[in-house]
Amino acid sequence: MAFLDLLDNIGGLGLFQLLNAILLTIPGFLTACHALLQNFSAAIPNHHCRIPNQTSTVSNWIFSFSELSNKSILKAFIPLEKNNKPSKCERYLNPQWNLLILNETTHHKINQTTEKCRDGWDYDRREFLETIVSEWDLVCSRKPLKQMSQTVYMGGVLAGAIILGRLSDKFGRRTVLTWSYFLLAVSGTSTAFSPSYFAFCCLRFLCGMAVAGISLNSVSLMMEWIPTKSRACIGTLGSFGFTVGQLLLAGIAYNIRTWRKLQLSISVPFFFFFVCSWWIPESARWLVLNNHYDKAMREIQRVARVNRLPEEGKKITVEVLHMHMDKEIHVNKTSHTHFDLVRTPQLRKITICLMMLCLGYYGLVMDLQKFGLSMYLAQIIFALMDFPSLFINLTSLNLLGRRITQGGMLIIAGDCFSILVPVDMKILQTVLAMIGTGFMGAAFTSIYIYTGELYPTMIRQTGMGFGSTMARIGSMSAPVVLMLDEYFSYLPSIVFGIIPIFAGFSAFMLPETLNVPLPDTIKDKYSIKQTTLPFNTRLEE
């Protein structure tokens, strides 16, 4: 491809590319925090029904049984569940003082009628001082609202993938990225001052839209300035931003135990990123294909200067750009929509396969409380698992190719998720979840790299937006799937395991893109098929 020749002439993978990748990766630390914030801001503290106001009676009994602990006295007001812990959603209609006198083996009952928590709940605030659950009582019959808030956020990511993905193809990657930073700064900061649950959900929806715009355009701005042979390395570097973000979130959340201050701490820095983003150059590919030749020439010359090849940059003129990319410019004169993703048989197959690939990431990482570990420790463990898995992923991408790596990572992750482990075997359950989540994270990294290589420049952002849309549909359904454990405890694990396995096998139907130049036009896809899949003939039929 002609544009790759220009990149090689001005330094290939040089200082500019590295600085550009770092500038685009650092904000990813905090976008990862926003994506996983629900683990801490919506954590469910231990709780029980608030004891009604019976001060004089309670005081008399406490005086008579001063040797009893508050936990023992609680038995008179709160019934015990099967696990011998206080009920979270019921209390005795009348205090059962006899339970403080009678032996635990005594079956004598005196009017042990129960009722719902009419006066609210008391929460254990030793681990979390305040969460949205404790502030708005999202427990018992209102517990689905806790999962709903995460679904609303993912709905925002879905909307952002559709809307902002399309807008970036029309107005430019850098422009949409810059205003996505600003949107996240404003909506994230405003979320910290939410007066109600409804306002919280609306603002989180906007945060999700902004996160989608940042993720999609950061990847595109990184990849469209990178030579073919370096795409996997730089793409994996970008994924480390998400991994570091998980570690950062655990540290911030450990020191800030109230959800409002936590929300504020990860949102305000985006005002700084908004200002810094004006330095990031627009994609020269996009500028040329949208008839901004002068701007493209200036950006290329700027890159050449940073890479210490100013003389090579001076050789780039509007005429040179037009000559090198004449074919792409001519084809790009036609308008493009989401229907272009299924215009040709080859693109239809790519799009359908990517739909399956993008439906399997969220689930376990959004339900850390079930592992019985400290939330902060669990977050760190799951994040650290990403480092070896991403290293394996990078090595495999360059040696075995995109297709085998993508399919293999998903199948391994799905196998780990679908193994049914007894509930009391927490260690084995945690180990399998760590391995599965690590490989799933690596697979998600491959999806971003792979999708960017499969779609041509003119519809790349639309295609990546569509892939992100499919991922968010899966993530929106994850909270609903987690609720299935009320009917069968292993059902969520089975669902989260089957989908990646099925998606992994569908990955083997895609063309290989290892060491293949980024395509600029829809017709370029056929060259990929013909040169990398010689054993699979007539795929377009």
Side-chain angles (χ1 to χ4, degrees):
M1 303 296 286
F3 187 76
L4 291 179
D5 295 333
L6 295 178
L7 279 181
D8 289 334
N9 291 339
I10 60 174
L13 183 62
L15 179 61
F16 165 80
Q17 280 76 13
L18 294 177
L19 290 175
N20 191 51
I22 292 172
L23 278 176
L24 292 169
T25 299
I26 291 176
F29 299 166
L30 293 183
T31 55
C33 292
H34 276 276
L36 299 177
L37 183 64
Q38 185 89 351
N39 280 332
F40 300 98
S41 66
I44 304 177
N46 290 327
H47 54 278
H48 58 75
C49 293
R50 184 169 294 137
I51 297 175
N53 185 17
Q54 300 185 31
T55 306
S56 59
T57 306
V58 173
S59 297
N60 291 336
W61 277 90
I62 290 178
F63 180 78
S64 301
F65 299 94
S66 58
E67 72 278 4
L68 295 177
S69 65
N70 291 336
K71 185 176 180 180
S72 298
I73 296 175
L74 194 64
K75 293 180 181 179
F77 296 91
I78 308 296
L80 298 179
E81 296 179 336
K82 293 181 180 180
N83 57 8
N84 207 35
K85 293 183 179 180
S87 173
K88 297 180 179 180
C89 301
E90 292 183 334
R91 69 182 185 187
Y92 291 121
L93 183 61
N94 298 302
Q96 302 296 305
W97 302 115
N98 59 296
L99 295 178
L100 302 181
I101 303 174
L102 300 176
N103 188 284
E104 291 184 359
T105 59
T106 303
H107 297 281
H108 183 62
K109 298 181 180 180
I110 304 176
N111 190 24
Q112 291 188 348
T113 305
T114 60
E115 64 178 354
K116 301 298 181 183
C117 302
R118 294 188 303 171
D119 300 307
W121 289 262
D122 286 325
Y123 296 92
D124 182 352
R125 301 183 185 275
R126 288 175 294 181
E127 187 172 14
F128 304 101
L129 293 179
E130 191 74 79
T131 70
I132 65 169
V133 172
S134 60
E135 179 163 340
W136 292 311
D137 289 335
L138 307 183
V139 293
C140 299
S141 62
R142 290 167 57 86
K143 187 176 179 180
L145 293 179
K146 180 246 183 183
Q147 302 290 4
M148 177 67 71
S149 63
Q150 181 65 14
T151 299
V152 169
Y153 169 80
M154 289 302 177
V157 179
L158 170 63
I162 296 172
I163 298 171
L164 299 180
R166 181 66 180 142
L167 288 178
S168 64
D169 278 338
K170 184 175 182 180
F171 297 106
R173 280 68 159 128
R174 205 283 304 274
T175 301
V176 175
L177 174 65
T178 296
W179 291 108
S180 294
Y181 284 147
F182 184 73
L183 176 60
L184 186 53
V186 173
S187 59
T189 301
S190 300
T191 302
F193 301 96
S194 301
S196 66
Y197 173 77
F198 178 76
F200 171 82
C201 287
C202 292
L203 290 168
R204 283 287 286 168
F205 181 88
L206 294 177
C207 288
M209 286 189 65
V211 167
I214 292 170
S215 300
L216 292 173
N217 290 285
S218 294
V219 171
S220 287
L221 283 171
M222 230 186 290
M223 303 305 289
E224 292 182 4
W225 281 109
I226 300 297
T228 301
K229 60 184 179 181
S230 305
R231 289 199 302 260
C233 179
I234 298 299
T236 303
L237 172 65
S239 295
F240 274 112
F242 191 87
T243 302
V244 174
Q246 294 182 65
L247 295 172
L248 185 63
L249 176 62
I252 296 174
Y254 182 80
N255 289 283
I256 302 177
R257 302 297 182 97
T258 59
W259 75 268
R260 292 183 184 273
K261 292 181 180 179
L262 179 60
Q263 176 76 41
L264 201 61
S265 67
I266 65 173
S267 300
V268 171
F270 280 95
F271 286 107
F272 175 73
F273 297 144
F274 166 70
V275 175
C276 292
S277 65
W278 293 98
W279 183 89
I280 298 172
E282 181 57 89
S283 166
R285 283 176 178 267
W286 181 87
L287 289 171
V288 171
L289 294 177
N290 285 271
N291 300 319
H292 301 296
Y293 303 112
D294 292 333
K295 290 182 180 180
M297 182 183 66
R298 288 196 297 270
E299 296 291 7
I300 291 174
Q301 291 175 345
R302 177 185 176 190
V303 171
R305 288 194 300 271
V306 175
N307 285 341
R308 299 175 183 176
L309 293 170
E311 296 302 321
E312 292 295 331
K314 292 178 181 179
K315 296 177 183 179
I316 307 298
T317 64
V318 173
E319 291 74 18
V320 171
L321 286 175
H322 202 284
M323 179 183 66
H324 277 70
M325 302 186 68
D326 182 67
K327 181 185 69 172
E328 293 84 351
I329 295 169
H330 176 73
V331 175
N332 195 57
K333 290 180 179 179
T334 58
S335 60
H336 301 284
T337 66
H338 283 84
F339 292 105
D340 290 310
L341 300 178
V342 292
R343 180 190 294 179
T344 67
Q346 179 72 356
L347 282 174
R348 279 197 293 273
K349 189 181 74 167
I350 290 172
T351 300
I352 292 172
C353 288
L354 286 175
M355 286 173 62
M356 294 305 307
L357 290 178
C358 292
L359 282 175
Y361 181 63
Y362 289 89
L364 288 179
V365 293
M366 294 307 305
D367 191 27
L368 296 180
Q369 281 186 298
K370 79 172 188 177
F371 296 108
L373 302 172
S374 164
M375 287 280 292
Y376 311 100
L377 178 61
Q379 183 73 65
I380 292 173
I381 290 174
F382 276 81
L384 290 177
M385 189 61 200
D386 278 353
F387 286 100
S389 62
L390 286 175
F391 176 77
I392 295 172
N393 182 63
L394 175 60
T395 304
S396 180
L397 282 172
N398 288 318
L399 294 180
L400 301 179
R402 279 49 164 162
R403 181 175 52 186
I404 294 177
T405 301
Q406 185 71 77
M409 294 288 179
L410 285 167
I411 291 172
I412 293 174
D415 287 339
C416 291
F417 291 160
S418 57
I419 296 176
L420 303 182
V421 180
V423 178
D424 57 341
M425 299 179 67
K426 294 292 185 181
I427 295 179
L428 179 59
Q429 188 181 52
T430 303
V431 169
L432 288 174
M434 285 170 51
I435 296 173
T437 304
F439 278 100
M440 185 63 81
F444 209 63
T445 299
S446 301
I447 289 175
Y448 268 95
I449 297 173
Y450 205 6
T451 304
E453 295 177 341
L454 285 168
Y455 285 116
T457 300
M458 60 182 61
I459 58 170
R460 180 170 299 123
Q461 204 67 359
T462 302
M464 292 185 69
F466 178 81
S468 183
T469 298
M470 294 300 103
R472 303 319 161 192
I473 291 175
S475 61
M476 287 176 65
S477 64
V480 179
V481 174
L482 290 172
M483 294 171 65
L484 296 177
D485 65 351
E486 296 183 6
Y487 304 97
F488 179 52
S489 60
Y490 293 113
L491 195 54
S493 298
I494 294 173
V495 174
F496 289 136
I498 290 176
I499 291 177
I501 292 174
F502 193 73
F505 283 109
S506 72
F508 294 117
M509 298 177 63
L510 294 171
E512 181 56 70
T513 60
L514 177 63
N515 294 327
V516 175
L518 282 177
D520 282 318
T521 69
I522 291 176
K523 292 183 180 180
D524 289 332
K525 295 316 308 171
Y526 293 94
S527 65
I528 291 179
K529 168 197 48 98
Q530 292 165 359
T531 57
T532 60
L533 291 176
F535 54 89
N536 194 3
T537 59
R538 300 182 66 81
L539 285 175
E540 70 272 25
E541 295 183 2

